[in-house]
Amino acid sequence: MNQFYSKNKNNVLLKENNLFQIVMLVILFISAPYFTYKGIKLGDDMPIWIVFILPICVYSYQATRRVAFNLDTKSLEISFCGFFTQKYDLINFKELIIINHKMNFINNGKEVKRVFKGENNKEVSLIRKQRFKNTETFIKETKTIIESIIK
């Protein structure tokens, strides 16, 4: 349980490298006020800071997303900034799937999702990486954690 996950009291947390997202947030938070101060506008009246809203939201979500297996409640918890927590019972776990994302026949990363039993087979993304070489190791480690929690 040391390559992809770390144990913290009653949670098993997914380790994610968010350095790129944090660097991009710093760049965006510095450049938005700078361009606004310089008076750069889009078209005639639209301020430039509007362009920065969507990238700041996306990188904020990616940098502060937390995936944890709660050992007490036997559930998967995914939260954003510690708020907006979504809980999924591990009893309803069905399978793990690997999705290869491609755009115009160019590899755009891999994603591992969990599928839960139910009327609509809810899919929850655990991790998505551009270069994800150890997918099988990640799945094996995840299954081991789920099996140890469900017992």
Side-chain angles (χ1 to χ4, degrees):
M1 199 182 331
N2 54 4
Q3 186 174 359
F4 293 102
Y5 293 96
S6 63
K7 190 167 183 178
N8 183 8
K9 296 181 184 175
N10 63 339
N11 290 326
V12 179
L13 302 170
L14 178 65
K15 297 180 198 175
E16 291 190 75
N17 185 3
N18 296 328
L19 182 63
F20 177 75
Q21 287 82 4
I22 293 170
V23 168
M24 288 303 296
L25 276 172
V26 169
I27 291 170
L28 290 168
F29 276 122
I30 290 172
S31 58
Y34 174 75
F35 289 134
T36 303
Y37 173 74
K38 287 291 188 180
I40 298 173
K41 296 187 181 227
L42 297 173
D44 294 332
D45 296 334
M46 189 178 297
I48 191 74
W49 60 265
I50 291 176
V51 173
F52 292 94
I53 293 173
L54 182 63
I56 286 175
C57 291
V58 169
Y59 286 121
S60 296
Y61 172 75
Q62 291 175 346
T64 60
R65 182 175 180 261
R66 182 177 159 249
V67 177
F69 291 101
N70 191 323
L71 302 175
D72 293 338
T73 61
K74 296 183 179 182
S75 63
L76 170 67
E77 296 178 355
I78 299 175
S79 63
F80 165 66
C81 271
F83 303 108
F84 312 112
T85 303
Q86 299 173 336
K87 294 184 181 185
Y88 304 97
D89 289 328
L90 292 176
I91 296 168
N92 297 330
F93 169 69
K94 183 177 177 184
E95 64 184 341
L96 290 167
I97 58 173
I98 301 170
I99 299 174
N100 292 317
H101 293 280
K102 293 187 180 198
M103 180 180 280
N104 297 330
F105 305 105
I106 298 172
N107 190 10
N108 198 15
K110 286 185 181 179
E111 181 176 21
V112 177
K113 288 188 173 186
R114 294 203 34 196
V115 180
F116 290 94
K117 297 176 198 169
E119 62 236 18
N120 56 358
N121 287 338
K122 176 98 174 146
E123 292 182 4
V124 179
S125 177
L126 286 179
I127 191 169
R128 180 176 179 172
K129 289 188 176 185
Q130 186 69 26
R131 294 176 193 91
F132 200 178
K133 297 177 183 173
N134 300 333
T135 310
E136 290 79 20
T137 309
F138 175 77
I139 288 176
K140 184 178 177 183
E141 196 171 328
T142 304
K143 283 183 178 180
T144 303
I145 292 169
I146 292 169
E147 289 171 359
S148 67
I149 293 173
I150 291 176
K151 287 183 181 180

